Amino acid sequence: VQLVESGGGLVQPGGSLRLSCAASGFTFNIYAMNWYRQAPGKEREWVATITNTGGRADYADSVKGRFTISRDNAKNTVYLQMNSLRPEGSAVYYCKPTGSFCKNWGQGTQVTVSS
């Protein structure tokens, strides 16, 4: 399993970013996909989940209404559109499929929200 996150960067509060995660090594279209994030000195936390078909998404309360998870099964890629970013959103963001088969994490992509 390979997970390659990208799209992070430095953004001002209130700004937007779109993260991507290219997945390989498993049958992408049969697994739900998740985004997580980890801020310095804090535990990794769940951000959002999308079902295998993309028909349903769930979000942590802290991002609901501002973040949107989506996927393109033809490209084996999951996305996270982040709007109205806040400084507390600064973290390394990771994607991971649902399921115990995937033991590893990708390298993540750094998001820094600062003026």
Side-chain angles (χ1 to χ4, degrees), residues 6-25:
S6 62
L10 173 63
V11 63
Q12 292 189 342
S16 298
L17 281 176
R18 189 194 195 207
L19 307 184
S20 299
C21 167
S24 60

Side-chain angles (χ1 to χ4, degrees), residues 37-40 45 87-94 109-113:
R37 66 186 179 187
Q38 187 168 22
E45 65 172 354
E88 55 266 34
S90 296
V92 179
Y93 284 71
Y94 303 87
T109 186
Q110 175 72 51
V111 172
T112 303
V113 186

Side-chain angles (χ1 to χ4, degrees), residues 3-110:
L3 303 161
V4 181
E5 300 92 346
S6 62
L10 173 63
V11 63
Q12 292 189 342
S16 298
L17 281 176
R18 189 194 195 207
L19 307 184
S20 299
C21 167
S24 60
F26 63 102
T27 307
F28 182 79
N29 62 7
I30 67 171
Y31 290 97
M33 290 294 296
N34 306 276
W35 282 99
Y36 296 83
R37 66 186 179 187
Q38 187 168 22
K42 294 192 175 181
E43 301 229 334
R44 196 170 318 200
E45 65 172 354
W46 169 75
V47 174
T49 297
I50 188 166
T51 55
N52 65 312
T53 62
R56 175 175 169 163
D58 290 304
Y59 300 92
D61 287 343
S62 58
V63 307
K64 205 171 289 184
R66 300 185 298 115
F67 289 14
T68 302
I69 187 172
S70 61
R71 65 191 295 160
D72 184 338
N73 285 347
K75 295 182 179 179
N76 284 11
T77 301
V78 61
Y79 305 97
L80 187 67
Q81 177 68 43
M82 307 187 295
N83 299 330
S84 303
L85 280 160
R86 302 168 180 169
E88 55 266 34
S90 296
V92 179
Y93 284 71
Y94 303 87
C95 68
K96 202 163 191 271
T98 298
S100 58
F101 72 96
C102 182
K103 310 291 186 202
N104 55 299
W105 295 85
Q107 85 287 348
T109 186
Q110 175 72 51

